[in-house]
Amino acid sequence: MKWADRILTVVVTATLTSAVWIVAGGSLIEMASGEGQREVTRPSDAQPSPAVQTDSLTSERGQATSNIVSSGLDDKSAAAIPGDSQRNLMIPVLNVRPEDLTDTFADEREGGGRLHEAIDIMAPEGTTVVSAAAGRIEKLFRSKAGGNTIYVRSPDGQAIYYYAHLKEYAQGLKEGQQVRRGQRLGAVGSSGNASADAPHLHFALLRTTPDAAWWEPANALNPYPLLGGKKNAGSGK
């Protein structure tokens, strides 16, 4: 009986331990996919631009950020987005020309702790924001940093176009909606943590996979040259 009692004790203990680990593991999975976790894993978190003169579309950021960090960039792999995801992109703000753009992709944020990994397109508040490419609206999301944001996934599912700091969404815009290239999405603003003195569109191009969620981390690709922007003389970009 003693041996039988010992065997029974071992079986009961192993069963209870397994049950505890199963419950704990399920809780961790739920935490990783919950709304709170999305706040910290969301790709390309929008950041405010330095204050600029609102009567000019050209900022001085390129000259002010002389110590550019480039070790975090992965341009080669990020540039390998197939299909039309990075072809024929149009500037997503009306009345902005390629020469008006400034390359802020490698600008430092958080005191050099990370890179911007997007470009800021300066324009007067209320200027129409249009879709840079065709796709499907994956998410309309209000975040503390980005304010009114839009995630549009490319038809092949391998790229996400991210628009932030919008003043408002276009009337009738909804998740799951198919949008065409050039379709109105909303208006330039300074929602989120953007400066009210420098309304702009924070625009990012993210390489992802068809099975990845909109909020999961993704590789950023510099949209500046894809929108017709030229390298700034003397900036090293």
Side-chain angles (χ1 to χ4, degrees), residues 184-217:
R184 187 175 189 273
L185 298 179
V188 170
S190 51
S191 59
N193 61 8
S195 170
D197 296 328
H200 65 277
L201 174 70
H202 172 105
F203 178 67
L205 172 57
L206 307 167
R207 181 190 181 192
T208 184
T209 58
D211 59 343
W214 62 272
W215 53 271
E216 292 184 274

Short mmCIF file of all heavy atoms in Angstrom, two decimals, residues 184-217:
data_model
loop_
_atom_site.label_atom_id
_atom_site.label_comp_id
_atom_site.label_asym_id
_atom_site.label_seq_id
_atom_site.Cartn_x
_atom_site.Cartn_y
_atom_site.Cartn_z
N ARG A 184 -9.74 60.01 -51.22
CA ARG A 184 -9.62 60.83 -50.02
C ARG A 184 -9.79 59.97 -48.77
O ARG A 184 -10.75 59.20 -48.65
CB ARG A 184 -10.65 61.96 -50.02
CG ARG A 184 -10.48 62.95 -48.87
CD ARG A 184 -11.45 64.12 -48.97
NE ARG A 184 -11.15 65.15 -47.99
CZ ARG A 184 -11.62 65.16 -46.74
NH1 ARG A 184 -12.44 64.19 -46.33
NH2 ARG A 184 -11.29 66.14 -45.90
N LEU A 185 -8.85 60.13 -47.84
CA LEU A 185 -8.90 59.38 -46.59
C LEU A 185 -9.22 60.27 -45.39
O LEU A 185 -9.76 59.79 -44.38
CB LEU A 185 -7.56 58.68 -46.32
CG LEU A 185 -7.10 57.64 -47.35
CD1 LEU A 185 -5.75 57.07 -46.93
CD2 LEU A 185 -8.13 56.52 -47.49
N GLY A 186 -8.87 61.55 -45.49
CA GLY A 186 -9.09 62.44 -44.37
C GLY A 186 -8.41 63.77 -44.59
O GLY A 186 -8.25 64.21 -45.73
N ALA A 187 -7.99 64.41 -43.50
CA ALA A 187 -7.38 65.73 -43.59
C ALA A 187 -6.17 65.83 -42.68
O ALA A 187 -6.12 65.22 -41.60
CB ALA A 187 -8.40 66.81 -43.22
N VAL A 188 -5.18 66.60 -43.12
CA VAL A 188 -3.98 66.85 -42.33
C VAL A 188 -4.36 67.54 -41.02
O VAL A 188 -5.23 68.41 -40.97
CB VAL A 188 -2.99 67.74 -43.11
CG1 VAL A 188 -1.84 68.20 -42.21
CG2 VAL A 188 -2.45 67.00 -44.32
N GLY A 189 -3.71 67.13 -39.94
CA GLY A 189 -3.98 67.75 -38.65
C GLY A 189 -2.79 67.63 -37.73
O GLY A 189 -1.65 67.47 -38.16
N SER A 190 -3.05 67.70 -36.45
CA SER A 190 -1.99 67.57 -35.44
C SER A 190 -2.53 66.79 -34.24
O SER A 190 -2.19 67.10 -33.09
CB SER A 190 -1.48 68.96 -35.02
OG SER A 190 -2.56 69.81 -34.66
N SER A 191 -3.37 65.80 -34.51
CA SER A 191 -3.90 64.98 -33.43
C SER A 191 -2.79 64.12 -32.83
O SER A 191 -1.73 63.94 -33.42
CB SER A 191 -5.06 64.11 -33.94
OG SER A 191 -4.63 63.26 -34.99
N GLY A 192 -3.03 63.58 -31.65
CA GLY A 192 -1.99 62.81 -30.98
C GLY A 192 -0.98 63.75 -30.35
O GLY A 192 -1.33 64.78 -29.80
N ASN A 193 0.30 63.42 -30.48
CA ASN A 193 1.33 64.24 -29.85
C ASN A 193 2.02 65.19 -30.81
O ASN A 193 3.10 65.70 -30.53
CB ASN A 193 2.38 63.35 -29.16
CG ASN A 193 3.10 62.43 -30.15
OD1 ASN A 193 2.93 62.54 -31.36
ND2 ASN A 193 3.89 61.51 -29.63
N ALA A 194 1.40 65.43 -31.97
CA ALA A 194 1.98 66.37 -32.93
C ALA A 194 1.79 67.81 -32.45
O ALA A 194 0.82 68.12 -31.76
CB ALA A 194 1.35 66.19 -34.30
N SER A 195 2.71 68.67 -32.84
CA SER A 195 2.62 70.07 -32.45
C SER A 195 1.51 70.77 -33.24
O SER A 195 1.42 70.62 -34.46
CB SER A 195 3.95 70.78 -32.70
OG SER A 195 3.81 72.18 -32.55
N ALA A 196 0.69 71.54 -32.54
CA ALA A 196 -0.37 72.29 -33.21
C ALA A 196 0.20 73.34 -34.15
O ALA A 196 -0.48 73.80 -35.08
CB ALA A 196 -1.27 72.96 -32.17
N ASP A 197 1.46 73.74 -33.93
CA ASP A 197 2.11 74.73 -34.78
C ASP A 197 2.70 74.13 -36.05
O ASP A 197 3.18 74.86 -36.92
CB ASP A 197 3.23 75.44 -34.01
CG ASP A 197 2.71 76.24 -32.83
OD1 ASP A 197 1.57 76.75 -32.92
OD2 ASP A 197 3.42 76.33 -31.81
N ALA A 198 2.68 72.80 -36.14
CA ALA A 198 3.27 72.14 -37.31
C ALA A 198 2.40 70.98 -37.78
O ALA A 198 2.80 69.82 -37.70
CB ALA A 198 4.68 71.65 -36.98
N PRO A 199 1.19 71.28 -38.27
CA PRO A 199 0.34 70.19 -38.75
C PRO A 199 1.02 69.44 -39.90
O PRO A 199 1.69 70.05 -40.73
CB PRO A 199 -0.92 70.92 -39.22
CG PRO A 199 -0.49 72.33 -39.49
CD PRO A 199 0.59 72.61 -38.48
N HIS A 200 0.86 68.13 -39.91
CA HIS A 200 1.52 67.33 -40.94
C HIS A 200 0.91 65.93 -40.98
O HIS A 200 0.18 65.52 -40.08
CB HIS A 200 3.03 67.22 -40.67
CG HIS A 200 3.36 66.47 -39.41
ND1 HIS A 200 3.35 67.06 -38.17
CD2 HIS A 200 3.72 65.18 -39.21
CE1 HIS A 200 3.67 66.16 -37.25
NE2 HIS A 200 3.91 65.00 -37.86
N LEU A 201 1.24 65.22 -42.04
CA LEU A 201 0.89 63.81 -42.14
C LEU A 201 2.14 62.98 -41.86
O LEU A 201 3.16 63.15 -42.51
CB LEU A 201 0.35 63.47 -43.53
CG LEU A 201 0.09 61.96 -43.76
CD1 LEU A 201 -1.10 61.48 -42.93
CD2 LEU A 201 -0.11 61.66 -45.24
N HIS A 202 2.06 62.11 -40.90
CA HIS A 202 3.12 61.13 -40.64
C HIS A 202 2.78 59.92 -41.51
O HIS A 202 1.76 59.26 -41.32
CB HIS A 202 3.10 60.78 -39.15
CG HIS A 202 4.00 59.65 -38.75
ND1 HIS A 202 5.18 59.84 -38.10
CD2 HIS A 202 3.85 58.30 -38.89
CE1 HIS A 202 5.74 58.67 -37.84
NE2 HIS A 202 4.95 57.71 -38.32
N PHE A 203 3.65 59.62 -42.48
CA PHE A 203 3.37 58.54 -43.43
C PHE A 203 4.47 57.50 -43.37
O PHE A 203 5.66 57.83 -43.47
CB PHE A 203 3.27 59.10 -44.85
CG PHE A 203 3.03 58.05 -45.90
CD1 PHE A 203 1.82 57.35 -45.94
CD2 PHE A 203 4.00 57.76 -46.84
CE1 PHE A 203 1.60 56.38 -46.92
CE2 PHE A 203 3.79 56.79 -47.82
CZ PHE A 203 2.58 56.10 -47.85
N ALA A 204 4.09 56.25 -43.19
CA ALA A 204 5.05 55.16 -43.11
C ALA A 204 4.65 54.03 -44.06
O ALA A 204 3.47 53.79 -44.30
CB ALA A 204 5.15 54.63 -41.68
N LEU A 205 5.68 53.36 -44.58
CA LEU A 205 5.48 52.18 -45.43
C LEU A 205 6.12 51.00 -44.70
O LEU A 205 7.31 51.02 -44.41
CB LEU A 205 6.14 52.39 -46.80
CG LEU A 205 6.20 51.18 -47.74
CD1 LEU A 205 4.81 50.63 -48.01
CD2 LEU A 205 6.88 51.58 -49.06
N LEU A 206 5.33 49.99 -44.40
CA LEU A 206 5.78 48.88 -43.58
C LEU A 206 5.71 47.56 -44.33
O LEU A 206 4.68 47.23 -44.92
CB LEU A 206 4.91 48.79 -42.32
CG LEU A 206 4.80 50.09 -41.51
CD1 LEU A 206 3.69 49.98 -40.49
CD2 LEU A 206 6.11 50.41 -40.83
N ARG A 207 6.79 46.83 -44.29
CA ARG A 207 6.82 45.50 -44.88
C ARG A 207 6.30 44.50 -43.86
O ARG A 207 6.79 44.42 -42.73
CB ARG A 207 8.25 45.13 -45.29
CG ARG A 207 8.32 43.75 -45.94
CD ARG A 207 9.76 43.31 -46.11
NE ARG A 207 9.86 42.03 -46.75
CZ ARG A 207 10.97 41.31 -46.82
NH1 ARG A 207 12.08 41.77 -46.28
NH2 ARG A 207 10.99 40.14 -47.42
N THR A 208 5.31 43.69 -44.24
CA THR A 208 4.71 42.74 -43.33
C THR A 208 4.45 41.44 -44.08
O THR A 208 5.01 41.20 -45.14
CB THR A 208 3.42 43.32 -42.71
OG1 THR A 208 2.89 42.42 -41.75
CG2 THR A 208 2.37 43.61 -43.77
N THR A 209 3.61 40.59 -43.53
CA THR A 209 3.20 39.36 -44.19
C THR A 209 1.69 39.27 -44.18
O THR A 209 1.04 39.86 -43.30
CB THR A 209 3.79 38.12 -43.49
OG1 THR A 209 3.37 38.11 -42.11
CG2 THR A 209 5.32 38.14 -43.55
N PRO A 210 1.09 38.55 -45.12
CA PRO A 210 -0.37 38.49 -45.20
C PRO A 210 -1.05 37.98 -43.93
O PRO A 210 -2.18 38.36 -43.64
CB PRO A 210 -0.62 37.53 -46.37
CG PRO A 210 0.59 37.68 -47.23
CD PRO A 210 1.73 37.86 -46.26
N ASP A 211 -0.34 37.14 -43.16
CA ASP A 211 -0.96 36.57 -41.96
C ASP A 211 -0.65 37.37 -40.69
O ASP A 211 -1.10 37.01 -39.60
CB ASP A 211 -0.53 35.12 -41.78
CG ASP A 211 0.99 34.97 -41.67
OD1 ASP A 211 1.70 35.91 -42.04
OD2 ASP A 211 1.44 33.89 -41.23
N ALA A 212 0.11 38.45 -40.80
CA ALA A 212 0.44 39.27 -39.63
C ALA A 212 -0.66 40.29 -39.37
O ALA A 212 -1.24 40.86 -40.30
CB ALA A 212 1.78 39.98 -39.84
N ALA A 213 -0.95 40.53 -38.10
CA ALA A 213 -1.97 41.51 -37.73
C ALA A 213 -1.46 42.92 -37.96
O ALA A 213 -0.25 43.16 -38.03
CB ALA A 213 -2.34 41.33 -36.26
N TRP A 214 -2.38 43.86 -38.07
CA TRP A 214 -2.03 45.25 -38.36
C TRP A 214 -1.13 45.86 -37.30
O TRP A 214 -0.33 46.75 -37.57
CB TRP A 214 -3.30 46.09 -38.49
CG TRP A 214 -4.13 46.14 -37.25
CD1 TRP A 214 -5.10 45.26 -36.87
CD2 TRP A 214 -4.06 47.11 -36.19
NE1 TRP A 214 -5.64 45.62 -35.66
CE2 TRP A 214 -5.02 46.74 -35.21
CE3 TRP A 214 -3.27 48.24 -35.97
CZ2 TRP A 214 -5.22 47.48 -34.05
CZ3 TRP A 214 -3.47 48.98 -34.81
CH2 TRP A 214 -4.45 48.59 -33.87
N TRP A 215 -1.27 45.38 -36.05
CA TRP A 215 -0.54 45.99 -34.95
C TRP A 215 0.81 45.32 -34.66
O TRP A 215 1.58 45.81 -33.83
CB TRP A 215 -1.38 45.93 -33.67
CG TRP A 215 -1.90 44.56 -33.32
CD1 TRP A 215 -3.08 44.00 -33.74
CD2 TRP A 215 -1.26 43.58 -32.51
NE1 TRP A 215 -3.20 42.74 -33.23
CE2 TRP A 215 -2.10 42.45 -32.47
CE3 TRP A 215 -0.06 43.55 -31.82
CZ2 TRP A 215 -1.79 41.29 -31.76
CZ3 TRP A 215 0.26 42.40 -31.11
CH2 TRP A 215 -0.60 41.29 -31.08
N GLU A 216 1.12 44.24 -35.34
CA GLU A 216 2.37 43.55 -35.06
C GLU A 216 3.56 44.31 -35.65
O GLU A 216 3.43 45.01 -36.65
CB GLU A 216 2.32 42.13 -35.64
CG GLU A 216 1.34 41.23 -34.92
CD GLU A 216 1.38 39.80 -35.45
OE1 GLU A 216 0.69 39.51 -36.44
OE2 GLU A 216 2.10 38.98 -34.86
N PRO A 217 4.73 44.17 -35.03
CA PRO A 217 5.93 44.86 -35.54
C PRO A 217 6.20 44.51 -36.99
O PRO A 217 5.96 43.38 -37.43
CB PRO A 217 7.04 44.33 -34.62
CG PRO A 217 6.34 43.93 -33.36
CD PRO A 217 5.01 43.40 -33.80
#
